[in-house]
Amino acid sequence: MKGFYSILATSVALNAVTTFASVLAPRQSSLPTVSVKGNAFFAGSNRFYVRGIDYQPGGSSQLADPIADAAGCARDIPEFTKLGINAVRVYSVDNSVNHDSCMNALEAAGIYLILDVNSPLYSINRQDPAPSYNAVYLQSIFATIDAFAKYSNTLAFFSGNEVINETTASTVTAPYIKAVTRDMKQYIGDRGYRQIPVGYSAADVTTNRYETAEYMNCGTDDERSDFFAFNDYSWCDPSSYTVSGWDQKVALFSNYSLPIFLSEYGCNTNTRTFEEVASLYGSDMTPVYSGGLVYEYSQESNDYGLVNINGNSVSELPDFTALQAAYKNTSMPTGDGGYKSTGSPSKCPAQSDTWLPGTDALPAIPAGAVTYLSHGAGTGPGLKGNDGAGSQNAGGASSGTATAGSGQVTATGAAASGSSSTGSATASKAAAANLHMPSMSLAPFVCGVVVVLSSMLGATLVL
């Protein structure tokens, strides 16, 4: 009998360890990560097209993080599923809180996240960009990357949104936007994260859209965007591929070597029937475009909403039904869509009456932000910031010009081993947080449990 109980103790111990190991094991994702190949996105070996909506309930007037709102996600994800979308864009998140619940629910529904890393308090100032490109700003940007890099359904990051507008003066911000893109790519690489695409979302303006696209795709690889997106409201139903001018844009971008998609579309001048969906996912456009995001999910003051939200309930508006029908009647493209597997960087645009940057040089990463590349950014400041001050006038701006290629990945941070940094914004705390316990085998734990339980049961029998 004593031998029997020893065997029983061993079995119990091994079962306990198996359960313990399963808890520690990383959660297996049901969605493949999305990467860039040539001028297209791929999920695994399959061409990926963005088929989604812009999602920021409350808009800019009631800024909140929808991916931290578990109840809101439970309310809205069934509506996403009814539409048949595969992606949502979120404009602002709180980088100081956990997002597991919503991100896991989105993943279970087959939905990826495209995320803007800026927030109203932590962004580049269009009127005075140089001081706003500083270490405090980058700490928030990098903390947002830390918060979302672990999710396989994080599709891409936007380094900026409509910073350059229709005014020529706004084009002076271009070097700072591009520097942020460079810094984000280097942070992702230095921290050992997978290669999450980073790009820019341009405004719906004709005066400098193509120059912006060229600029984001010129220079050394570390400076170039991974994709380019722009907002386009030129197709106002009833219209067509040629009447809207979409055919001319496809021709203009036909030799562009990065993936392109629409970060916002859906003109509401007339009744929206979303006729453009058929063209966007049709053979005329798939060699150049990779889909787009309809603006927007919730009804706000600008009247673009697909649904009305009232507490925990949702009522579908006519635009929801129209978009649902448009998606249903338009199959996702098959095959590779005629994408280009190779391409060359663009030539940087020359200075002109509509484009002010007269040099290809970028500002160097602020000295105070360099430590984040090796030690991690630490806890983010959230949407309210530290005492509501934000970053635009925080000091610690860039003090020099970067050497071309300076943003290449040069180190491997703690994240490369599967762990994430939990350091603070200060170098000393970040360094301390970068100290990790050595890897431990479960074998000693197994043996220990077996010995303890066997001894206990054996002692009981003797008594």
Side-chain angles (χ1 to χ4, degrees):
M1 287 294 289
K2 183 176 180 180
F4 168 77
Y5 281 107
S6 295
I7 294 172
L8 177 62
T10 302
S11 176
V12 169
L14 289 174
N15 285 335
V17 171
T18 300
T19 302
F20 179 72
S22 68
V23 171
L24 289 181
R27 181 175 172 275
Q28 295 299 310
S29 170
S30 61
L31 287 180
T33 58
V34 174
S35 59
V36 172
K37 297 179 183 179
N39 73 333
F41 293 115
F42 278 78
S45 59
N46 298 318
R47 174 86 187 265
F48 182 88
Y49 300 88
V50 176
R51 190 177 179 115
I53 56 176
D54 297 307
Y55 180 55
Q56 195 78 40
S60 58
S61 61
Q62 301 177 27
L63 191 61
D65 179 356
I67 307 301
D69 181 1
C73 288
R75 175 195 65 208
D76 297 331
I77 290 176
E79 299 297 318
F80 300 164
T81 303
K82 287 177 68 175
L83 283 173
I85 62 173
N86 64 14
V88 293
R89 175 192 184 179
V90 172
Y91 293 83
S92 290
V93 292
D94 185 335
N95 55 20
S96 68
V97 300
N98 184 275
H99 298 87
D100 287 353
S101 179
C102 284
M103 289 300 292
N104 291 339
L106 287 169
E107 181 191 15
I111 297 171
Y112 292 86
L113 174 69
I114 301 172
L115 181 61
D116 290 69
V117 297
N118 292 275
S119 67
L121 288 178
Y122 294 85
S123 57
I124 295 296
N125 185 345
R126 183 187 294 125
Q127 279 70 43
D128 193 11
S132 63
Y133 174 62
N134 58 53
V136 175
Y137 166 66
L138 288 176
Q139 191 274 333
S140 178
I141 299 305
F142 294 162
T144 299
I145 293 173
D146 287 339
F148 286 90
K150 64 181 178 179
Y151 304 114
S152 63
N153 57 329
T154 297
L155 193 160
F157 293 121
F158 281 131
S159 59
N161 173 50
E162 296 188 328
V163 185
I164 302 170
N165 59 22
E166 70 278 0
T167 65
T168 301
S170 69
T171 64
V172 300
T173 63
Y176 298 94
I177 300 166
K178 193 168 180 177
V180 174
T181 300
R182 175 202 63 204
D183 299 343
M184 290 175 63
K185 291 174 64 174
Q186 184 175 14
Y187 186 80
I188 288 169
D190 278 9
R191 300 307 298 150
Y193 296 131
R194 67 178 173 88
Q195 213 169 351
I196 304 169
V198 179
Y200 177 67
S201 172
D204 185 13
V205 295
T206 58
T207 52
N208 53 44
R209 180 192 295 124
Y210 192 66
E211 288 87 346
T212 302
E214 287 182 309
Y215 187 76
M216 298 303 171
N217 188 32
C218 73
T220 54
D221 287 346
D222 62 305
E223 299 171 351
R224 297 169 57 222
S225 291
D226 296 317
F227 64 87
F228 183 72
F230 60 91
N231 304 337
D232 193 340
Y233 293 92
S234 58
W235 185 311
C236 298
D237 296 324
S239 190
S240 70
Y241 180 57
T242 54
V243 171
S244 65
W246 280 26
D247 61 328
Q248 299 172 36
K249 292 168 188 170
V250 170
L252 181 65
F253 284 102
S254 60
N255 291 317
Y256 198 66
S257 60
L258 300 180
I260 291 174
F261 66 93
L262 299 181
S263 40
E264 294 178 7
Y265 76 93
C267 170
N268 68 350
T269 301
N270 305 315
T271 300
R272 298 204 289 185
T273 55
F274 296 102
E275 296 171 350
E276 65 264 51
V277 166
S279 289
L280 186 58
Y281 301 98
S283 58
D284 286 332
M285 298 188 68
T286 57
V288 180
Y289 284 42
S290 291
L293 299 154
V294 170
Y295 190 81
E296 65 181 322
Y297 177 69
S298 58
Q299 182 73 306
E300 310 298 340
S301 59
N302 53 12
D303 200 32
Y304 280 91
L306 302 177
V307 303
N308 266 321
I309 296 176
N310 184 13
N312 289 324
S313 65
V314 170
S315 56
E316 296 167 3
L317 298 172
D319 283 1
F320 182 98
T321 305
L323 181 60
Q324 184 182 37
Y327 281 152
K328 183 177 181 181
N329 295 330
T330 305
S331 300
M332 288 292 275
T334 57
D336 66 16
Y339 90 107
K340 294 180 178 64
S341 60
T342 59
S344 301
S346 300
K347 182 180 179 180
C348 292
Q351 190 175 43
S352 68
D353 291 340
T354 58
W355 188 259
L356 294 182
T359 175
D360 302 341
L362 302 180
I365 184 171
V370 174
T371 186
Y372 305 140
L373 299 175
S374 57
H375 296 302
T379 303
L383 289 172
K384 295 182 179 179
N386 299 318
D387 300 324
S391 66
Q392 291 191 353
N393 299 302
S398 174
S399 59
T401 301
T403 303
S406 62
Q408 293 179 357
V409 175
T410 57
T412 301
S417 63
S419 59
S420 60
S421 172
T422 55
S424 75
T426 64
S428 59
K429 290 184 179 179
N434 203 35
L435 297 174
H436 295 277
M437 293 293 291
S439 299
M440 296 180 63
S441 168
L442 286 176
F445 177 80
V446 174
C447 295
V449 172
V450 170
V451 170
V452 170
L453 289 179
S454 297
S455 300
M456 289 175 63
L457 288 172
T460 301
L461 289 174
V462 171
L463 292 172

